[in-house]
Amino acid sequence: MRIDLHTHSHRSDGTDSPAELIAKAAAAGLDVVALTDHDAMSGWAEAQQAADEVGITLVPGLEISTNFHHRGVHLLAYLPDPAYAPLVAELDRVLDGRTSRTPAIVAGLRDHGIDLTEDDVRREAGGSVAAGRPHVADALIRLGLVADRTEAFVELLNHGRPGYIGRYAAPVEEMIPLVVAAGGAAVIAHPWGRRGGTVLDEAALSHLRDLGLAGIEVDHQDHGPELRARLRAIAANLDLVVTGSSDYHGLGKVDHDLGCNTTDPEQYERLMSRTASRR
Ligand SMILES: [Zn+2]
Ligand SMILES: [Zn+2]
């Protein structure tokens, strides 16, 4: 049984529709696939219909943007009740933060004497609903203010620079109990991934487990063999479920093909036993 517990459709930043993603998962020989768009559950119905048609198991999920000690932490939530009002309200806050960020960045740069408009950014973003910092960087390049995206981030957009605007994200210590209250199981995505650093050490993970964390994503492309071995040992010490997944984004991310990492069936069963549908 091949199980991939972390994928993105175009409902967030992937490039496949939920139905296309499911068809590709079946073609890739997966038996179980979780759809985990960023802060969004809107792809579930379409994915479920496609999964029923091709005869694979869909695990409805999402990847929630949270914070831990001022660092971004991605929290995978599996099978939460999509109608659980406190969770829906919190996700709305996260999404509002994303859409209101670009105008705030432009305002911050204008305060700093940079003649950039929201229209400039919108032009770079094309039709994307998710206009973001890379598009601000592209607009700055087009205006001749920086040479490339790297310079845009280093000089103007990174933390501590005039165009930096924090984005709302719930503390992970609040989000984990909320996911559990919604009947879901919570797993930290790529805990030692490229952007996360190692703020989530064993003591921190132990604390989060006490708050209801069910598992950690160990087998992820951001983790090399040594990190995976160390994370696996921590999971064993703390009795956390170990998951593995592709973090597939379609064409949006290279080297993340469906099924490139998978979850052991026994670990999958343990994870599902933590959801309300099995509790
Ligand atoms: Zn992530
Ligand atoms: Zn992801």
Side-chain angles (χ1 to χ4, degrees):
M1 187 152 91
R2 299 189 71 228
I3 303 159
D4 186 340
L5 291 180
H6 182 172
T7 70
H8 297 268
S9 76
H10 70 191
R11 299 302 169 95
S12 61
D13 55 349
T15 55
D16 294 334
S17 70
E20 284 164 349
L21 186 151
I22 296 298
K24 288 180 184 178
L30 292 169
D31 304 289
V32 178
V33 64
L35 179 66
T36 53
D37 278 311
H38 292 287
D39 309 308
M41 300 183 271
S42 63
W44 289 7
E46 183 185 323
Q48 186 62 62
Q49 197 181 343
D52 290 344
E53 278 165 22
V54 297
I56 67 176
T57 300
L58 172 75
V59 180
L62 65 164
E63 184 174 23
I64 306 173
S65 308
T66 72
N67 268 326
F68 183 68
H69 294 289
H70 309 292
R71 299 296 291 263
V73 168
H74 285 175
L75 186 71
L76 293 160
Y78 297 105
L79 286 162
D81 175 359
Y84 184 64
L87 179 63
V88 172
E90 201 56 32
L91 292 175
D92 282 346
R93 275 185 80 182
V94 174
L95 285 171
D96 281 353
R98 180 170 294 172
T99 45
S100 61
R101 192 184 199 190
T102 300
I105 292 171
V106 170
L109 290 171
R110 292 186 68 85
D111 285 349
H112 205 66
I114 291 169
D115 192 18
L116 177 78
T117 67
E118 281 183 57
D119 275 343
D120 293 332
V121 178
R122 224 167 286 145
R123 254 193 301 279
E124 300 301 329
S128 171
V129 285
R133 301 204 297 161
H135 305 114
V136 175
D138 290 345
L140 292 166
I141 296 166
R142 194 176 295 275
L143 290 168
L145 296 167
V146 294
D148 52 31
R149 281 189 177 183
T150 304
E151 187 183 335
F153 275 89
V154 170
E155 297 296 324
L156 294 169
L157 300 177
N158 280 346
H159 193 264
R161 309 309 297 173
Y164 179 79
I165 300 293
R167 182 154 82 78
Y168 175 75
V172 72
E173 288 148 295
E174 290 172 21
M175 192 51 90
I176 289 170
L178 200 53
V179 168
V180 173
V187 170
I188 303 271
H190 44 74
W192 292 352
R194 286 176 200 123
R195 281 180 298 180
T198 51
V199 58
L200 291 165
D201 60 11
E202 181 159 355
L205 289 169
S206 170
H207 167 60
L208 297 181
R209 181 206 53 192
D210 293 344
L211 295 173
L213 182 69
I216 55 176
E217 186 180 59
V218 171
D219 293 303
H220 182 280
Q221 296 299 79
D222 277 7
H223 301 145
E226 196 211 294
L227 289 190
R228 293 185 190 201
R230 284 167 55 198
L231 281 167
R232 217 177 289 282
I234 289 175
N237 283 345
L238 299 178
D239 199 28
L240 287 166
V241 173
V242 168
T243 69
S245 32
S246 63
D247 203 358
Y248 173 76
H249 280 70
L251 303 173
K253 219 175 199 182
V254 294
D255 195 26
H256 285 262
D257 293 338
L258 284 162
C260 65
N261 299 296
T262 55
T263 299
D264 182 84
E266 209 173 296
Q267 300 291 317
Y268 168 66
E269 278 306 314
R270 277 182 70 201
L271 183 64
M272 290 299 103
S273 76
R274 300 284 297 262
T275 65
S277 52
R278 299 276 189 89
R279 276 201 289 262

Coordinates of all heavy atoms in Angstrom, one line a residue, residues 6 8 38 63 74-76 189-190 195 217 220 247 249 253, ligand 1:
H6 N 0.7 14.5 1.7 CA 0.9 15.9 1.6 C 1.1 16.4 0.2 O 2.1 16.1 -0.5 CB 2.2 16.3 2.4 CG 2.6 17.7 2.5 ND1 3.6 18.2 3.3 CD2 2.1 18.8 1.9 CE1 3.7 19.5 3.2 NE2 2.8 19.9 2.3
H8 N -0.5 19.5 -2.9 CA -1.2 20.8 -3.2 C -1.8 20.8 -4.6 O -1.1 20.5 -5.6 CB -0.2 22.0 -3.1 CG 0.4 22.1 -1.7 ND1 -0.1 22.9 -0.7 CD2 1.5 21.5 -1.1 CE1 0.6 22.8 0.4 NE2 1.6 21.9 0.2
H38 N -2.8 24.9 1.2 CA -2.4 25.9 2.3 C -3.7 26.6 2.7 O -4.4 27.3 2.0 CB -1.5 26.9 1.7 CG -0.1 26.4 1.4 ND1 0.8 26.1 2.4 CD2 0.5 26.2 0.3 CE1 1.9 25.7 1.9 NE2 1.8 25.7 0.6
E63 N -2.8 22.4 5.0 CA -1.5 22.8 5.6 C -1.7 24.2 6.2 O -1.8 25.1 5.4 CB -0.4 22.7 4.6 CG 1.0 23.0 5.2 CD 2.1 22.7 4.2 OE1 1.9 22.8 3.0 OE2 3.3 22.5 4.6
H74 N 4.7 25.0 9.5 CA 3.5 24.5 8.7 C 2.9 23.3 9.4 O 3.7 22.3 9.7 CB 4.0 24.1 7.3 CG 4.2 25.3 6.4 ND1 4.7 25.2 5.1 CD2 4.0 26.6 6.6 CE1 4.8 26.4 4.6 NE2 4.4 27.3 5.5
L75 N 1.6 23.4 9.7 CA 1.0 22.3 10.4 C 0.0 21.6 9.5 O -1.0 22.2 9.0 CB 0.2 22.9 11.6 CG -0.4 21.9 12.6 CD1 0.7 21.2 13.4 CD2 -1.4 22.6 13.5
L76 N 0.2 20.3 9.3 CA -0.8 19.5 8.5 C -1.9 19.1 9.4 O -1.7 18.6 10.6 CB 0.0 18.3 7.9 CG 1.0 18.6 6.9 CD1 2.0 17.5 6.7 CD2 0.4 19.0 5.6
A189 N 4.6 19.6 9.4 CA 5.2 19.4 8.1 C 6.7 19.8 8.1 O 7.1 20.7 8.8 CB 4.5 20.3 7.1
H190 N 7.5 19.0 7.4 CA 8.9 19.3 7.3 C 9.5 20.1 8.5 O 9.9 21.2 8.3 CB 9.2 20.0 5.9 CG 8.3 21.1 5.6 ND1 8.3 22.3 6.2 CD2 7.2 21.2 4.7 CE1 7.3 23.1 5.7 NE2 6.7 22.4 4.8
R195 N 13.4 26.3 5.4 CA 13.1 27.6 6.0 C 12.9 27.6 7.5 O 12.9 28.6 8.2 CB 11.9 28.3 5.3 CG 12.3 28.9 4.0 CD 11.1 29.6 3.3 NE 10.1 28.6 3.0 CZ 8.9 29.0 2.4 NH1 8.7 30.2 2.2 NH2 8.0 28.0 2.1
E217 N 6.3 15.0 10.1 CA 6.7 14.5 8.7 C 8.2 14.4 8.6 O 8.9 15.4 8.6 CB 6.2 15.6 7.7 CG 6.3 15.2 6.3 CD 5.8 16.3 5.4 OE1 6.3 17.4 5.4 OE2 4.8 16.0 4.6
H220 N 10.7 13.9 3.9 CA 10.3 15.0 3.1 C 11.6 15.4 2.4 O 12.7 15.3 2.9 CB 9.8 16.1 4.0 CG 9.3 17.4 3.2 ND1 10.2 18.3 2.7 CD2 8.1 17.8 2.9 CE1 9.5 19.3 2.1 NE2 8.2 18.9 2.2
D247 N 4.8 16.4 -0.8 CA 4.7 17.9 -0.9 C 4.6 18.3 -2.3 O 5.1 19.3 -2.7 CB 5.8 18.6 -0.1 CG 5.4 20.0 0.3 OD1 4.3 20.4 0.0 OD2 6.2 20.7 1.0
H249 N 3.5 19.8 -5.8 CA 2.9 21.1 -6.2 C 2.7 21.1 -7.7 O 2.6 22.2 -8.3 CB 3.8 22.2 -5.9 CG 3.8 22.7 -4.4 ND1 4.3 21.9 -3.4 CD2 3.3 23.8 -3.8 CE1 4.1 22.6 -2.2 NE2 3.5 23.7 -2.5
K253 N 6.9 23.1 -8.1 CA 8.0 22.7 -7.3 C 8.7 21.5 -7.9 O 8.0 20.5 -8.1 CB 7.5 22.3 -5.9 CG 8.3 22.8 -4.7 CD 7.7 22.5 -3.4 CE 8.2 23.3 -2.3 NZ 7.7 23.1 -1.0
Ligands
ZN1 ZN 5.0 23.5 3.9

